[in-house]
Amino acid sequence: MTLGKKENESSAPANDIVLRLLIVDDDLDNLALMRQVFENEPVEVFVTGDTSEGLDLFRTKRPQIVTLALLMPQMGGMEMMANILAIDPGVDVILITRHYSTDAAVEAIKKGAYDYLTKPISVARFRETLRELLSHAQLRQHSQELEGEMIDAFQFEGMIGRSPLMLDLFRKINRVARHFRTILLIGETGTGKELAAKALHRLGPRPTSPFITANCSAWAESLLETELFGCVKGAFTGATQDRKGVFEYANGGTLFLDEIGDMPVSSQSKLLRVLQNQEIQRVGSPIVHKVDVRVIAASSRDLHVMVAENKFRQDLYYRLSMMEIQVPRLADRREDLPLLERYMVHSFAVQSNKQIRGLTRRAQAVLSRYSWPGNVRELENVIGHGCIMAEGGIIDIHNLPEYLRILQHSATVDAGEKEIVSLMEMTQRYTREVVDRIHNKAQAAHLLGISRTKLYRLLSKKQIGESDKIG
Ligand SMILES: Nc1ncnc2c1ncn2[C@@H]1O[C@H](COP(=O)(O)OP(=O)(O)O)[C@@H](O)[C@H]1O
Ligand SMILES: [Mg+2]
């Protein structure tokens, strides 16, 4: 049953959203009152006295607001609210009761109710609540549209970026995707190598074929080969049955070999053979299988240096590096930060149905000063943390993780009364200062973008100035 429907009053902009309201109450007096409340409001109203019909209406009409009587014969309002919020946690539910109880009100709000009203309902208050909700809903819709347009313009296969380095990466991916058989992606952890690999796969000739990921650092040497090539029953203790490896699973498609620098040298020669002949042998089997697999290898370590140190086979490196793509560090493309921040806030807001507009300028300034050793993945974690902690729809400095909050004042860190000191000494001083300020060496190392070992080394060194004086 639909009543009080008023669409697009002449003064309202054409793209204004229609607010839909569902009322579930077995009290007819109350329904009559509602009719009066909505007489002059641009709201589409659905009413029912039956809870299961109410749930059906909810599913089909998708109202943004639901009012429920707390006590109904078939299903209590609290239970019905739980059902509704499980379908769509963004809905505003108002519970209505005849007998006010603080406990019930607190419980309702805790469980996600927007408001809790007692009969007889004050029409003025209800209308006010409704207007509030309407303007929220419109604001949300509006800002999501704007953000959406903005982000779409700088999106490439799920990767966000507008910096010259990223635009260059997008162009490269576009150029090589149709032609590669093997590609090497080099970049620090969290820079988006896996995203780039997926983009290469999707833009390649067989986008619907399998894309399989294997992480070379996740397996012990003996297990890695079984993981890659499969094994036959009895090949080793524990091999109780024949098993396919990832090369077979990826047949016809793409295999993403992550952290290839961690692959033991002995397995590297076997991988090279596969790349050359497109043939694999399961561990323990003499039989050779033909496979047709494109391989994208990724590494956060510098393979060139590893070759020089005899930790990576030169022939495999040459084979892989014929098409090598660098994925830039976030610190080298800070101009992407505002866009990434907006994109992430937007996706968290949609995911969690929480209204978050963005970051305060102060919080943005803090993020722009940071070195981002964990790259985009770390930024994602920071924004996620901020969205959870944010109150009032905006992420401020105090919603950021503690290790970043100290950067609030770091613009004023000076190098010491204008004296000129060596870079090493300045490094040591600054390291000490950071450790003194945050009292946590692991966090300090993370913040400085160095390993803990290196931090300890810097802290344990005598001040260069001191030893010079003595000498
Ligand atoms: N340019 C980007 N735009 C949006 N999200 C990104 C971008 N680069 C990385 N991410 C996100 O950051 C996280 C880490 O990316 P990933 O591809 O796993 O990095 P890597 O493989 O280099 O460690 C993922 O959640 C990914 O979605
Ligand atoms: Mg990765």
Side-chain angles (χ1 to χ4, degrees), residues 180-201:
F180 76 97
R181 283 223 66 93
T182 46
I183 288 193
L184 179 61
L185 295 173
I186 298 287
E188 286 181 5
T189 175
T191 46
K193 297 186 293 298
E194 191 159 344
L195 272 189
K198 286 181 179 154
L200 283 162
H201 173 73

Side-chain angles (χ1 to χ4, degrees), residues 159-160 166 188 190-195 340 376-377 380:
M159 304 175 88
I160 303 293
M166 285 307 275
E188 286 181 5
T191 46
K193 297 186 293 298
E194 191 159 344
L195 272 189
L340 281 166
V376 186
R377 179 175 295 114
E380 243 172 24

Side-chain angles (χ1 to χ4, degrees), residues 367-381:
L367 299 192
S368 71
R369 266 182 226 134
Y370 182 52
S371 58
W372 299 109
N375 294 293
V376 186
R377 179 175 295 114
E378 187 180 8
L379 178 65
E380 243 172 24
N381 294 340

Side-chain angles (χ1 to χ4, degrees), residues 17 125 131 161 174 179 273 312 322 341 352 411 463:
I17 55 167
R125 168 150 181 219
R131 290 223 166 99
N174 239 336
H179 310 292
R273 264 210 323 274
F312 200 85
M322 284 195 302
E341 286 160 13
S352 60
Q463 295 247 0

Side-chain angles (χ1 to χ4, degrees), residues 277-297:
N277 309 332
Q278 296 282 318
E279 286 174 356
I280 56 145
Q281 258 175 299
R282 290 188 181 178
V283 174
S285 164
I287 300 169
V288 172
H289 292 270
K290 266 283 176 209
V291 285
D292 174 15
V293 176
R294 302 176 147 223
V295 173
I296 303 177

